[in-house]
Amino acid sequence: VCRSNKSPWVCLTCSSVHCGRYVNGHAKKHYEDAQIPMTNHKKTEKQEKIQHTVCMDCSSYSTYCYRCDDFVVNDTKLGLVQKVREHLQNLENSAFSSDRHRKRKLLENSSLNSKLLKVNGSTTALCATGLRNLGNTCFMNAILQSLSNIQQFCCYFKELPAVELRNGKTAGRRTYHTRSQGDNNVSLVEEFRKTLCALWQGSQTAFSPESLFYVVWKIMPNFRGYQQQDAHEFMRYLLDHLHLELQGGFNGVSRSVILQENSSLSASNKCCINGASTVVTAIFGGILQNEVNCLICGTESRKFDPFLDLSLDIPSQFRSKRTKNQESGPMCTLRDCLRSFTDLEELDETELYMCHKCKKKQKSTKKFWIQKLPKVLCLHLKRFHWTAYLRNKVDTYVEFPLRGLDMKCYLLEPENSGPESCLYDLVAVVVHHGSGVGSGHYTAYAAHEGRWFHFNDSTVTLTDEETVVKAKAYILFYVERQAKPGSEKL
């Protein structure tokens, strides 16, 4: 109907192909039209049973029922659904598919060299792989693409030995799941590893993270369904669950042993959260010192809190600014947000401090210091705020550096740090487009081998630093700069 080649869905009753609900919804309209009784012809009893309710996603081969409004795994007694899957897979491997792939590559090559880049005089093809949107899963795709470009973190998972979760009759066969399936034999680490391995292999076809999303549904109930989710919340859940699973055994080998064998993640770099250290805490783990002073008697209380990321408020005086080019007032910078986070502040009446010396709740001040910086500094800008019954978005542009973010002035003991250990360079940015947390769209920018890429679900394009710095960042990933022997401070 609309000639779209995105998200094709085939009706398993009549074999007609329409676009999915997240394109123009013609597959759903086909189902709805089939429910309207025919007025010009008398329908037989057999015709009345044909409802056109079940269709299949031609990309992921998942089967969906519009009447149940859910994905299903049931097949007919003759296994006809599996035969359709096999037929579609054969089509993908046929000469027709190869010809279509060749035509698509010709189109891509002619689009202003967006897929090609000159490197040392030779032309290099774009090596990044996109991630298919499974239905408002851009929040997950943006985080996965960002993490895949944090080299030390990504390499650790890609080098883990593979685990075969299925055995017996299902060994080696692809399985199709729904949230109602009772299979508990799942591994987030394994599916995360497979997804990372599928990226950066030069495939022009987008990878479908269907198996990973199924595991997310199983172990993170908050993310079940196909509604838009908060990318930062997903990232925290993902890292927390990876951390917990990594503390267990792995093919009979303790993962802590694997971690210790990795020389780049030595014990001195570990930050324990909820038990033993893992690659998650070794890479993202830092330590905050929370210092509270009673304003009545002057008693000081200190507490150390581990963190995987820092959530920064955008100062209220900047929240009216909408664009980078707006002239009214000063520009909000990342340093303003960091300063607001670490500056001394007086706690309000709802946060009175229980002073052990005064034996009652008293007015007090609070200040954060960073006792230990992580290898990868993840900064989350609080763009969503509750006001009355609504969660509004702060759309202020925040200026951030691509290189040389200096964190020394926020350290508790800056004199003990080396000249390069407090400098960070940007490696990835997650951006939220739209007005609300439950709507809009997520994309990501990330640097890979000196080039910047824009990841928009299935589409990956080369971009430049000027475009990246104009983005209204939601999550920023900074990697600690490695000191080079004999090099001067940049």
Side-chain angles (χ1 to χ4, degrees):
V1 177
C2 61
R3 310 291 296 175
S4 173
N5 61 354
K6 293 181 178 179
S7 186
W9 291 54
V10 58
C11 176
L12 295 187
T13 302
C14 64
S15 299
S16 61
V17 180
H18 298 87
C19 65
R21 63 168 64 189
Y22 298 106
V23 185
N24 292 309
H26 287 119
K28 185 178 182 182
K29 188 176 186 303
H30 173 71
Y31 153 71
E32 292 170 345
D33 290 345
Q35 309 309 303
I36 303 173
M38 297 174 65
T39 55
N40 299 332
H41 303 280
K42 187 175 180 181
K43 297 176 71 175
T44 65
E45 184 180 347
K46 184 177 180 182
Q47 285 175 318
E48 287 177 358
K49 290 182 180 179
I50 299 176
Q51 299 292 338
H52 301 260
T53 57
V54 182
C55 55
M56 182 181 289
D57 186 331
C58 298
S59 300
S60 64
Y61 309 129
S62 303
T63 309
Y64 187 84
C65 176
Y66 276 107
R67 176 174 288 183
C68 301
D69 194 26
D70 197 2
F71 287 90
V72 292
V73 290
N74 297 352
D75 203 342
T76 64
K77 290 182 179 179
L78 298 176
L80 296 178
V81 174
Q82 182 59 29
K83 288 182 180 179
V84 173
R85 286 196 185 105
E86 292 170 357
H87 181 65
L88 289 173
Q89 287 174 322
N90 289 334
L91 281 177
E92 276 199 322
N93 297 327
S94 68
F96 165 74
S97 178
S98 300
D99 184 56
R100 184 178 59 184
H101 183 66
R102 181 181 60 82
K103 289 179 180 178
R104 188 170 69 242
K105 285 186 73 174
L106 286 173
L107 287 172
E108 289 167 350
N109 292 341
S110 63
S111 60
L112 298 175
N113 291 328
S114 64
K115 293 281 184 178
L116 297 172
L117 187 72
K118 290 273 187 177
V119 179
N120 297 329
S122 62
T123 304
T124 305
L126 183 68
C127 57
T129 300
L131 287 168
R132 284 176 179 158
N133 192 316
L134 307 177
N136 280 334
T137 57
C138 56
F139 69 92
M140 177 178 75
N141 292 347
I143 294 297
L144 292 175
Q145 293 286 15
S146 298
L147 294 177
S148 76
N149 285 282
I150 299 172
Q151 188 176 6
Q152 200 173 11
F153 184 70
C154 180
C155 288
Y156 173 83
F157 285 94
K158 287 164 69 174
E159 290 169 3
L160 286 176
V163 174
E164 181 53 65
L165 296 174
R166 298 181 290 277
N167 48 43
K169 293 182 179 180
T170 60
R173 287 174 53 193
R174 184 176 180 180
T175 56
Y176 301 86
H177 306 285
T178 69
R179 58 182 166 220
S180 60
Q181 200 167 357
D183 179 18
N184 291 318
N185 188 22
V186 295
S187 169
L188 180 64
V189 170
E190 172 64 3
E191 296 305 331
F192 185 67
R193 183 195 68 81
K194 288 179 182 176
T195 302
L196 293 181
C197 288
L199 302 176
W200 297 107
Q201 290 189 343
S203 172
Q204 295 293 324
T205 305
F207 177 74
S208 177
E210 181 186 2
S211 297
L212 176 63
F213 195 41
Y214 161 68
V215 176
V216 169
W217 274 17
K218 292 295 292 184
I219 66 177
M220 305 179 202
N222 294 14
F223 298 97
R224 289 179 182 172
Y226 293 96
Q227 65 273 23
Q228 184 64 279
Q229 301 280 0
D230 187 331
H232 174 250
E233 185 181 3
F234 171 75
M235 183 196 74
R236 285 306 313 269
Y237 271 88
L238 177 68
L239 292 179
D240 287 345
H241 281 278
L242 286 172
H243 172 65
L244 289 172
E245 191 175 320
L246 282 167
Q247 291 181 67
F250 192 84
N251 269 6
V253 181
S254 170
R255 296 186 194 214
S256 59
V257 172
I258 298 174
L259 182 66
Q260 289 166 12
E261 289 175 353
N262 191 330
S263 60
S264 62
L265 302 174
S266 62
S268 61
N269 293 322
K270 294 178 182 178
C271 171
C272 296
I273 299 174
N274 297 329
S277 174
T278 67
V279 68
V280 175
T281 53
I283 297 291
F284 292 95
I287 300 175
L288 279 176
Q289 178 180 288
N290 185 354
E291 189 175 288
V292 180
N293 281 282
C294 176
L295 290 176
I296 306 302
C297 68
T299 299
E300 185 180 89
S301 172
R302 294 179 183 178
K303 188 173 71 170
F304 293 97
D305 297 313
F307 68 87
L308 295 178
D309 70 317
L310 298 178
S311 290
L312 311 177
D313 277 305
I314 297 174
S316 56
Q317 66 266 31
F318 298 108
R319 291 184 189 176
S320 60
K321 284 181 65 65
R322 293 289 172 182
T323 64
K324 182 178 180 180
N325 299 322
Q326 191 170 331
E327 296 297 331
S328 59
M331 175 79 69
C332 181
T333 67
L334 186 59
R335 187 166 292 278
D336 291 319
C337 301
L338 284 164
R339 192 179 296 116
S340 174
F341 178 78
T342 56
D343 274 355
L344 186 72
E345 66 169 315
E346 185 173 335
L347 299 176
D348 58 32
E349 295 292 332
T350 61
E351 298 179 293
L352 291 178
Y353 162 65
M354 182 65 189
C355 179
H356 298 292
K357 188 173 182 180
C358 299
K359 305 296 183 184
K360 63 177 182 178
K361 290 186 176 181
Q362 300 282 31
K363 284 189 175 183
S364 56
T365 59
K366 179 180 73 173
K367 181 172 175 60
F368 283 120
W369 295 96
I370 299 177
Q371 194 211 35
K372 176 189 173 295
L373 283 164
K375 286 185 169 295
V376 174
L377 179 64
C378 179
L379 301 175
H380 160 238
L381 299 178
K382 294 182 182 179
R383 291 198 173 273
F384 300 106
H385 288 264
W386 284 104
T387 56
Y389 300 103
L390 297 173
R391 198 178 186 190
N392 294 330
K393 182 181 178 183
V394 179
D395 209 32
T396 304
Y397 172 78
V398 178
E399 190 176 49
F400 54 89
L402 286 178
R403 300 178 189 84
L405 173 64
D406 194 347
M407 296 294 293
K408 180 171 281 190
C409 59
Y410 310 109
L411 279 178
L412 182 64
E413 298 174 344
E415 64 277 2
N416 294 335
S417 60
E420 294 279 332
S421 61
C422 300
L423 291 178
Y424 286 81
D425 298 321
L426 189 69
V427 70
V429 186
V430 174
V431 182
H432 178 268
H433 311 267
S435 57
V437 66
S439 59
H441 183 59
Y442 287 98
T443 65
Y445 294 96
H448 185 81
E449 295 180 352
R451 293 177 285 172
W452 279 95
F453 294 85
H454 184 216
F455 299 92
N456 184 2
D457 288 334
S458 301
T459 306
V460 183
T461 53
L462 280 166
T463 187
D464 51 38
E465 294 182 353
E466 289 73 20
T467 303
V468 175
V469 296
K470 291 177 183 176
K472 291 182 180 177
Y474 182 46
I475 307 172
L476 295 153
F477 296 89
Y478 281 93
V479 176
E480 181 183 44
R481 183 179 295 177
Q482 298 299 313
K484 295 180 181 179
S487 63
E488 294 181 2
K489 183 176 178 181
L490 297 176

